[in-house]
């Protein structure tokens, strides 16, 4: 028996015994925060808050009155958060079948409850984000079709944008939905089109962590810039170079206002000579100049010039981890 009780001490299982008057007689392996010494000889009201004690006593009274087993639940406040217990109540009967006491098996299920709550939260998050992704895909399809010249042109552009989202989403999923590192976004979006993209594209400044929404839209912007660069820009030749400069704005430290412009990204290309400003009628231009900045609560500027293509984007504080 002593060995069994020694093993019990390492588990989240406790036992208590009460007489037919529901006075506590003994406890085994009770949680350290329970004042069991003071409660011995008393009832549930001497051990637990009034609301919890009342429901627990009622369940035990049914066990005594009807000689039946019952299940009960107990929720208690704790400095580290609420604790949850499943309690199994069994009648203790004498040789004549009279109930002379109640044996309670008490199992701390707090960790299981928290895990269940986390899973439920994640499922809701997955559902919410799935709906957002579908909405984005539908918008991309509609917008891409407006400027596509042929069906093949539409399929090529649309598939590229969906694959861009897929690559960003992979990074987000691998990070348990926290978001994605900016350097990883750049690498995954650029290397799909330029084999030497990692050598040709250089990140200047701190490598910030973007939250899921920003990761998706910044990923789309990087995709559009990379496709354009591979076709007519710096990534079209081995000597071309792309700089992605990251600058924290004064509002970066203003955590009280998540809508404050906090981060600036600047994509600039060199090595190809003068570049004309992108066609404003193309969806790529609309995505970079309107949709992406709107999604991250910032502003953008896209221009060609004597040194190549330049794209500036600001993000709000809420989009940065």
């Amino acid at each position: 028996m002593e060995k069994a009780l020694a093993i019990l001490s390492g588990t989240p299982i406790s036992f208590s015994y009460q007489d037919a008057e529901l006075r506590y007689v003994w406890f085994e392996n009770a949680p350290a925060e329970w004042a069991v010494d003071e409660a011995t000889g008393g009832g549930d009201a001497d051990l637990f808050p009034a609301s919890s004690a009342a429901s627990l006593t009622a369940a035990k009274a049914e066990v005594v009155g009807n000689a039946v087993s019952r299940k009960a639940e107990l929720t208690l406040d704790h400095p580290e958060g609420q604790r949850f217990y499943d309690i199994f109540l069994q009648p203790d009967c004498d040789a004549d079948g009279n109930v002379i006491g109640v044996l309670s098996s008490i199992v701390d299920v707090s960790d299981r409850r928290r895990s269940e709550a986390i899973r439920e939260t994640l499922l809701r998050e997955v559902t919410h984000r799935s709906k957002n992704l579908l909405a984005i895909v539908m918008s991309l399809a509609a917008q891409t079709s407006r400027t596509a010249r042929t069906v093949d042109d539409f399929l090529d552009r649309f598939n590229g944008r969906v694959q861009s989202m897929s690559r960003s989403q992979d990074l987000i999923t691998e990070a348990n939905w926290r978001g994605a590192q900016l350097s990883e976004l750049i690498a995954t979006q650029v290397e799909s089109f330029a084999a030497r993209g990692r050598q040709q594209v250089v990140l200047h400044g701190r490598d910030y962590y973007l939250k899921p929404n920003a990761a998706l839209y910044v990923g789309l912007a990087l995709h559009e810039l990379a496709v354009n660069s591979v076709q007519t820009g710096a990534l079209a030749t081995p000597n071309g170079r792309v700089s992605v400069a990251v600058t924290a704005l004064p509002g970066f430290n203003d955590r009280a206002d998540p809508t404050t412009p906090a981060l600036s990204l600047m994509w600039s290309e060199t090595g190809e000579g003068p570049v004309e400003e992108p066609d404003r009628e193309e969806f790529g231009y609309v995505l970079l100049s309107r949709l992406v900045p709107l999604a991250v609560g910032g502003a953008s500027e896209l221009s060609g010039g004597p040194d190549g293509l330049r794209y500036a984007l600001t993000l709000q504080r809420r989009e940065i981890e």
Side-chain angles (χ1 to χ4, degrees):
M1 184 64 176
E2 291 181 359
K3 290 183 178 180
L5 293 177
I7 294 173
L8 183 66
S9 65
T11 71
I13 303 174
S14 309
F15 292 102
S16 69
Y17 185 81
Q18 292 164 275
D19 60 23
E21 301 299 323
L22 299 182
R23 294 185 294 260
Y24 280 105
V25 178
W26 53 259
F27 291 88
E28 287 293 345
N29 198 41
E33 63 270 18
W34 291 14
V36 296
D37 291 337
E38 298 176 11
T40 302
D44 292 318
D46 299 297
L47 185 60
F48 305 118
S51 58
S52 299
S55 60
L56 194 54
T57 299
K60 293 175 180 177
E62 185 178 345
V63 173
V64 173
N66 300 324
V68 294
S69 298
R70 279 287 309 272
K71 290 183 179 180
E73 295 182 352
L74 181 64
T75 303
L76 299 175
D77 291 330
H78 188 274
E80 297 179 0
Q82 285 188 318
R83 307 298 297 181
F84 302 93
Y85 301 90
D86 283 348
I87 304 178
F88 303 88
L89 307 171
Q90 294 177 296
D92 179 27
C93 301
D94 61 16
D96 297 324
N98 298 313
V99 178
I100 59 174
V102 178
L103 178 66
S104 300
S105 306
I106 307 161
V107 183
D108 187 338
V109 294
S110 303
D111 291 342
R112 189 190 74 195
R113 290 286 188 90
R114 278 192 284 270
S115 296
E116 291 173 350
I118 291 172
R119 282 197 296 272
E120 290 176 1
T121 300
L122 288 175
L123 285 173
R124 286 195 295 270
E125 182 72 9
V126 168
T127 300
H128 173 71
R129 294 196 181 281
S130 296
K131 290 180 178 179
N132 283 349
L133 285 173
L134 287 173
I136 295 171
V137 170
M138 291 174 65
S139 175
L140 287 178
Q143 296 288 348
T144 302
S145 66
R146 292 177 183 175
T147 56
R149 298 174 180 82
T150 64
V151 173
D152 287 341
D153 181 41
F154 165 79
L155 290 175
D156 182 57
R157 293 171 182 267
F158 178 66
N159 288 339
R161 287 160 182 159
V162 171
Q163 289 170 9
S164 164
M165 290 180 57
S166 176
R167 287 189 289 271
S168 297
Q169 188 62 37
D170 284 343
L171 294 177
I172 295 169
T173 304
E174 289 171 4
N176 294 322
W177 297 83
R178 284 182 53 234
Q181 206 81 31
L182 180 57
S183 60
E184 294 178 346
L185 278 173
I186 294 172
T188 56
Q189 297 297 342
V190 173
E191 288 180 351
S192 300
F193 302 96
R196 298 184 64 256
R198 189 177 291 272
Q199 289 76 40
Q200 291 180 268
V201 181
V202 180
L203 176 65
H204 297 281
R206 181 176 168 183
D207 187 8
Y208 286 94
Y209 206 91
L210 305 184
K211 290 184 178 180
N213 178 70
L216 281 176
Y217 281 97
V218 171
L220 276 172
L222 291 168
H223 165 79
E224 295 297 325
L225 292 166
V227 170
N228 182 76
S229 185
V230 167
Q231 292 175 346
T232 61
L235 297 181
T237 65
N239 296 325
R241 292 292 180 268
V242 176
S243 167
V244 180
V246 183
T247 306
L249 302 176
F252 186 85
N253 295 319
D254 186 7
R255 295 179 180 273
D257 183 3
T259 64
T260 303
L263 201 67
S264 169
L265 307 180
M266 170 67 79
W267 169 291
S268 55
E269 303 181 20
T270 57
E272 278 302 294
V275 175
E276 294 182 3
E277 182 176 303
D279 185 351
R280 292 174 177 265
E281 298 301 319
E282 289 289 339
F283 177 56
Y285 180 89
V286 174
L287 190 149
L288 290 168
S289 62
R290 300 178 194 171
L291 299 185
V292 172
L294 179 64
V296 298
S300 69
E301 183 178 348
L302 177 64
S303 62
D307 298 322
L309 186 71
R310 294 171 63 87
Y311 177 67
L313 174 69
T314 60
L315 294 83
Q316 290 184 353
R317 183 67 185 82
R318 67 185 178 190
E319 303 292 346
I320 305 158
E321 177 77 9

